[in-house]
Amino acid sequence: MKESIGIRRAVIGDVSGIASVERAAIATLKGFDLKDWAAMFAAPGTFSYLAEQSHPFGVVCVGAPSDEAYEDGQTGEVLAWYLDPYFCGQGLGRKLLVHGLTVIKRRAFKQALIWIPETASQAIQTVSDLEFDVQFNREANGISHLMFTRNLDDYF
């Protein structure tokens, strides 16, 4: 029997599991700083969700934009979206991202944004399939990141 997969609200006790997922997801990428998950849990208006079987394998964290330039009261950001590479190609990253977008919409934001390294082709394909539009790119830690946005007016 195949083990079931669940998505649930993450709690502070999940920090080590989430950090393991993050490390696995970015293991082959250079120039990434690990997130301070304890601080993310403490930040008001930030919501994290964990995908798991017998152990965590994916995480999405959403909230107000991390960059003041996008703090317009209308825009929510996918602050983190990681999937253990072992689980890639099964639609699970998409399912996790959709869950995060639903939370952004329910928090009354009209638009979602996400930054993705331009080398993350599977992630870029997923956001494109979900009708995000690329806006521009910027360099961070020697890596070019693309900013995608999606209008949420017609989202569910």
Side-chain angles (χ1 to χ4, degrees), residues 16-119:
S16 65
I18 292 170
S20 293
V21 170
E22 178 186 29
R23 283 190 302 276
I26 66 172
T28 60
L29 302 173
K30 297 194 180 348
F32 275 83
D33 294 325
L34 296 175
K35 299 214 180 294
D36 180 348
W37 286 99
M40 289 181 77
F41 274 97
T46 301
F47 304 91
S48 297
Y49 295 87
L50 191 65
E52 62 186 355
Q53 284 181 320
S54 58
H55 65 282
F57 65 83
V59 65
V60 65
C61 181
V62 299
S66 57
D67 187 328
E68 289 179 7
Y70 304 103
E71 288 182 359
D72 57 7
Q74 302 293 307
T75 303
E77 183 174 352
V78 178
L79 301 165
W81 175 44
Y82 298 117
L83 188 68
D84 184 308
Y86 178 81
F87 292 88
C88 289
Q90 301 175 45
L92 299 171
R94 177 188 173 105
K95 183 176 182 177
L96 199 55
L97 182 57
V98 165
H99 192 85
L101 292 175
T102 301
V103 173
I104 291 172
K105 171 86 178 207
R106 289 189 174 161
R107 301 298 299 171
F109 290 113
K110 304 288 184 200
Q111 174 177 259
L113 75 86
I114 186 171
W115 292 92
I116 299 177
E118 69 178 2
T119 57

